[in-house]
Amino acid sequence: MNVIEQIEKDRLVPVFFDADPARATAVLEQCYAAGIRSFEFTNRGANAAEVFTILKQKVKESMPGMFLGIGTIWNEEEAEHFINLGAEFVVSPVVNPAVADACARHHIPWMPGCMTPTEVYQAKVSGASVVKIFPGAVMGPAFIKSLKAVFPAMKFMVTGGVTTEHESLKKWFEAGVSAVGIGKELLQKEVRETFGFIQSL
């Protein structure tokens, strides 16, 4: 199973950063134990590369089937750096064709953040595997439904303000998202319970 297939199967991507390697590892282990097999560690701290390297080693040692990706990638240099560290997918807040090119060279899925139909189109023609709709809390499920009408084949993952309330999650999937990305909100709740509910939709 490749990265995109796994994300579509899981339907949930944890989005997380912690500068403490022990805490970051504990969260990764918790998600893996719950059955989640794709995890986005975000590039949001001075030692993000160091922590990512530790997480990658943990995956190699004891987490078969886990896809570890990197988020908050703004430019080509960052993309190349983390791909060389073993990132298996790259998530960006914006549509930067240079990041798309770096991912294409390494055959790594690229998931840019978009907020308008024009940005979705630019992402599509630049080779996006999945389009991240961000911030989800601002756009809402009705926006996803409208996008799917004009981009029926495009895979969407919504992040930013996505909560773990069952009714809210149900509305996102009914609108047509392939997956949701959830950060601290997920980790304040019972990961296994949330993941189990998503799998039942």
Side-chain angles (χ1 to χ4, degrees):
M1 187 174 293
N2 65 34
V3 179
I4 303 305
E5 290 171 341
Q6 187 64 61
I7 288 173
E8 286 190 290
K9 179 177 182 291
D10 285 353
R11 309 178 84 187
L12 168 64
V13 179
V15 180
F16 184 75
F17 172 79
D18 197 303
D20 185 314
R23 284 197 296 264
T25 300
V27 168
L28 180 66
E29 289 175 333
Q30 181 186 19
C31 291
Y32 188 81
I36 296 168
R37 294 296 180 265
S38 51
F39 189 96
E40 177 189 338
F41 185 74
T42 57
N43 177 33
R44 294 186 181 175
N47 67 332
E50 175 190 339
V51 179
F52 182 88
T53 300
I54 292 169
L55 295 181
K56 186 64 183 181
Q57 186 60 37
K58 184 68 177 179
V59 168
K60 287 181 179 179
E61 291 173 354
S62 59
M63 297 183 180
M66 172 62 89
F67 291 102
L68 183 63
I70 187 68
T72 320
I73 296 299
W74 293 94
N75 55 52
E76 181 180 6
E77 292 74 23
E78 290 175 344
E80 287 282 356
H81 182 54
F82 279 95
I83 290 170
N84 288 333
L85 292 178
E88 293 170 284
F89 61 94
V90 171
V91 184
S92 302
V94 296
V95 179
N96 182 343
V99 175
D101 291 343
C103 292
R105 284 195 298 272
H106 295 277
H107 308 288
I108 298 292
W110 171 58
M111 307 174 193
C114 298
M115 197 176 180
T116 68
T118 297
E119 291 172 345
V120 172
Y121 176 76
Q122 290 171 339
K124 180 177 181 291
V125 299
S126 295
S129 302
V130 174
V131 164
K132 179 179 79 165
I133 299 300
F134 174 84
V138 174
M139 309 311 288
F143 180 67
I144 298 293
K145 191 173 291 186
S146 297
L147 282 179
K148 288 294 288 186
V150 291
F151 298 102
M154 197 74 228
K155 296 176 174 60
F156 294 105
M157 177 173 72
V158 62
T159 68
V162 178
T163 68
T164 57
E165 280 72 22
H166 289 184
E167 191 58 35
S168 175
L169 288 167
K170 185 177 180 182
K171 287 179 180 177
W172 285 116
F173 287 105
E174 287 177 345
V177 300
S178 296
V180 294
I182 308 182
K184 290 182 179 179
E185 174 72 16
L186 171 67
L187 303 172
Q188 292 169 354
K189 305 277 186 175
E190 174 56 54
V191 176
R192 195 179 300 274
E193 177 188 336
T194 300
F195 183 56
F197 173 74
I198 289 175
Q199 292 296 288
S200 71
L201 288 173

